[in-house]
Amino acid sequence: MTTTEAPSVVGEATVGELQAAVRGPVIRPGDDIYDEARAVWNAAHDKRPALIIRCSGTADVIKGVEFARSQGLPLAVRGGAHSIAGFSTCDDGVVLDLSAMRAVTVDPDRRRAVAQGGATWADFDHETQAFGLAVTGGLVSTTGLGGFTLGGGIGWLLRRHGLTCDSLVGADVVLADGRLVHASEEENSDLFWGLRGGGGNFGVATALEYALHPVGPTVLGGLVFFPGAAAKDVLIRWRELTTSMPDELTSAVVLATAPPVPFLPESVHGTPIVAIGAMYCGPLSSGEDVVRPLRTLADPIADLMGPVPYVAMQQMLDPLWQAGAHNYFTSAMVDTIPDDAVDELIARWSAKPTPQSEIHVHHAGGAMARVPQEKTAFGERTSPYILNIIARSYDGASFGGDAAWARDARASLASYGPDAMYVNFTGEAGEDKVRASYPSATYAKLVALKTRYDPTNVFRLNQNIPPSSPTSREGN
Ligand SMILES: Cc1cc2nc3c(=O)[nH]c(=O)nc-3n(C[C@H](O)[C@H](O)[C@H](O)COP(=O)(O)OP(=O)(O)OC[C@H]3O[C@@H](n4cnc5c(N)ncnc54)[C@H](O)[C@@H]3O)c2cc1C
């Protein structure tokens, strides 16, 4: 990659004025750190922004939003840079990089935490677990809590404490016109509704406040690995168990290829493998009995389930999900997994294009399903399973075909549910995909909210809710 060309979209003098107005660095093509600064987690998105503003605080965010708007440039907002669809970068536009804004402050007495918009789950868990507190966080700790929370957020505490956005109690948001507002049940409650599931459509969350829950610091969790040949038995028995699992237990089936890791025998490396990932957050004394059936779904190859610090559980999968590969995720909410769906899952998995490609079946329900649909903008809450189909490769040249495998697999499996998607697991932009993520009443409300808060669609690099056009607004 060469970085010698100066951008043509913004003049020197204008960049100089911007740099004088913000405290964080303004990074441009040709700067030593440009390539490092423009890289995002998903190597499928190799974009060349005109400017990257590494914001030092809310004032820089305000300046950055105003700058992009006044220059008519595309604006990408970046928290943890884990967007599968590549929304946190762009060609020839402005990236508002929040990665230097990651402070987390905890009030243990009130059980509240406030995180800056660029914090990751590793940052958040570190601070909150000092007091034995947590909210539902990501399965991989390098993920940013900004994009994650605004899209919903599923993790090991999902069934006990709901989606991450269900624990959000307020946010400071820089709007498209540069104003900073607070959103909560009491203030700008319409915006607060939209922030809980509507993604980054309404502004930049510079601070997010969460209600915390007592968790750990030791939980019972980990992974149990079974041979690929046992996939059908594992899926069917797990499906039966999910009908009576307590909320304290959240689990997922992972259809994968055995990685070359020391805890798996060399003889299975590179062969199909089924893993159960699970975490029980209730009393440890009762946990052994609760998780035991998961450990005996078939003859295990390796059983790594046991008492573990919550923070370690949150980082358990990090080594397997490092940046640098090409990734495409797609999802479906699933109501039932009858035997023919099990067969279809296994057939699709067997046809995976690369060893790194996987299918995950998450057990949802519990607290997530008990929040009334209309309370937040999150789409489909009641399906008991969430399917995540992941095409992953280190070979960019053939990646288009790999992604097609994931899309086709989704098309054949979505009929076992309401054909709904989860915005955070959607690997590309597309109106059809956004519409498939929300019930029609929720979508209509999101459009009205977008029209109110961002009528010219400044925040459009996301699973975009387009505002209604001026003409259609005049007609209303
Ligand atoms: C390895 C990996 C593991 C994952 N695991 C899970 C999981 O366990 N559960 C789950 O639910 N999802 C998971 N996801 C999906 C994840 O929720 C989304 O990719 C999410 O967008 C990541 O947030 P981010 O801040 O890192 O993303 P970024 O790429 O930084 O941002 C993505 C988009 O979010 C918006 N955004 C980010 N920060 C802000 C902010 N502060 N204010 C306003 N808008 C903002 C912007 O629109 C931005 O374009 C995972 C993704 C990856 C790559």
Side-chain angles (χ1 to χ4, degrees):
M1 278 179 285
T2 58
T3 57
T4 47
E5 287 167 37
S8 56
V9 287
V10 192
E12 282 295 322
T14 315
V15 175
E17 279 169 28
L18 174 67
Q19 182 60 86
V22 297
R23 288 187 73 191
V26 176
I27 302 161
R28 293 194 290 159
D31 289 348
D32 286 349
I33 58 167
Y34 178 70
D35 282 336
E36 180 203 317
R38 74 187 178 86
V40 291
W41 180 84
N42 189 354
H45 305 289
D46 183 19
K47 301 273 174 75
R48 301 185 64 80
L51 298 170
I52 300 164
I53 306 173
R54 192 160 279 166
C55 301
S56 69
T58 301
D60 285 2
V61 174
I62 293 171
K63 295 281 183 215
V65 170
E66 286 172 345
F67 178 83
R69 207 193 53 228
S70 66
Q71 298 291 316
L73 293 172
L75 176 65
V77 178
R78 181 182 300 171
H82 276 46
S83 163
I84 316 293
F87 291 133
S88 46
T89 186
C90 59
D91 280 326
D92 301 324
V94 175
V95 172
L96 215 51
D97 177 359
L98 309 181
S99 63
M101 293 173 55
R102 51 208 295 171
V104 179
T105 317
V106 182
D107 180 340
D109 295 333
R110 291 176 60 238
R111 290 189 180 160
R112 290 287 172 93
V114 178
Q116 284 187 299
T120 64
W121 286 112
D123 301 324
F124 190 86
D125 292 339
H126 176 73
E127 294 298 334
T128 57
Q129 274 293 285
F131 308 99
L133 299 168
V135 295
T136 304
L139 270 51
V140 173
S141 76
T142 52
T143 314
L145 55 71
F148 192 101
T149 305
L150 301 176
I154 70 168
W156 297 123
L157 292 168
L158 176 71
R159 288 173 41 76
R160 177 66 183 88
H161 295 299
L163 295 163
T164 312
C165 70
D166 296 333
S167 293
L168 189 72
V169 292
D172 292 340
V173 183
V174 175
L175 301 177
D177 60 9
R179 274 184 306 137
L180 176 72
V181 297
H182 187 69
S184 67
E185 290 290 4
E186 292 77 36
E187 265 178 275
N188 299 303
S189 57
D190 56 346
L191 177 60
F192 183 55
W193 173 87
L195 294 177
R196 289 172 292 162
N201 271 285
F202 306 106
V204 185
T206 51
L208 300 108
E209 183 173 6
Y210 299 87
L212 302 171
H213 316 284
V215 173
T218 302
V219 293
L220 192 59
L223 291 161
V224 186
F225 294 89
F226 304 99
K232 187 164 183 171
D233 285 348
V234 169
L235 276 162
I236 289 175
R237 288 178 187 154
W238 177 77
R239 173 192 75 195
E240 302 308 327
L241 289 173
T242 57
T243 59
S244 59
M245 279 177 186
D247 289 354
E248 287 77 9
L249 181 61
T250 298
S251 62
V253 176
V254 176
L255 302 173
T257 302
V261 286
F263 52 79
L264 292 175
E266 255 181 59
S267 57
V268 303
H269 291 177
T271 67
I273 200 161
V274 188
I276 293 281
M279 191 184 93
Y280 177 77
C281 64
L284 288 182
S285 51
S286 51
E288 286 292 348
D289 287 343
V290 179
V291 301
R292 187 169 300 113
L294 289 176
R295 310 169 86 152
T296 52
L297 291 164
D299 279 340
I301 297 173
D303 182 344
L304 307 179
M305 189 89 71
V308 61
Y310 174 72
V311 168
M313 181 74 198
Q314 287 294 95
Q315 300 182 3
M316 172 180 77
L317 299 175
D318 288 7
L320 299 174
W321 293 97
Q322 308 251 343
H326 296 251
N327 292 270
Y328 178 89
F329 289 20
T330 185
S331 64
M333 303 304 195
V334 170
D335 289 338
T336 55
I337 314 178
D339 290 357
D340 59 329
V342 170
D343 290 338
E344 186 64 14
L345 271 167
I346 293 171
R348 294 287 170 174
W349 169 49
S350 304
K352 64 189 173 307
T354 66
Q356 296 83 21
S357 299
E358 298 187 350
I359 298 180
H360 301 176
V361 191
H362 296 268
H363 184 203
M368 170 186 176
R370 285 193 293 272
V371 174
Q373 175 68 52
E374 61 283 2
K375 188 161 186 242
T376 71
F378 187 83
E380 175 52 57
R381 282 182 174 274
T382 55
S383 295
Y385 307 102
I386 303 172
L387 209 59
N388 187 11
I389 304 168
I390 300 173
R392 183 169 163 88
S393 171
Y394 290 92
D395 177 5
S398 57
F399 191 61
D402 304 345
W405 162 80
R407 268 186 225 106
D408 291 349
R410 184 205 181 263
S412 76
L413 290 157
S415 59
Y416 294 98
D419 198 13
M421 299 177 100
Y422 169 35
V423 280
N424 279 353
F425 285 168
T426 302
E428 63 193 312
E431 194 185 337
D432 57 330
K433 291 167 191 65
V434 183
R435 282 183 178 271
S437 305
Y438 301 102
S440 52
T442 304
Y443 187 81
K445 208 170 151 183
L446 282 166
V447 172
L449 198 65
K450 179 76 174 178
T451 308
R452 175 165 183 212
Y453 283 97
D454 184 15
T456 59
N457 211 0
V458 170
F459 300 107
R460 60 182 175 276
L461 293 179
N462 43 44
Q463 296 299 352
N464 195 232
I465 311 282
S468 57
S469 67
T471 336
S472 65
R473 287 207 296 279
E474 279 156 23
N476 285 337

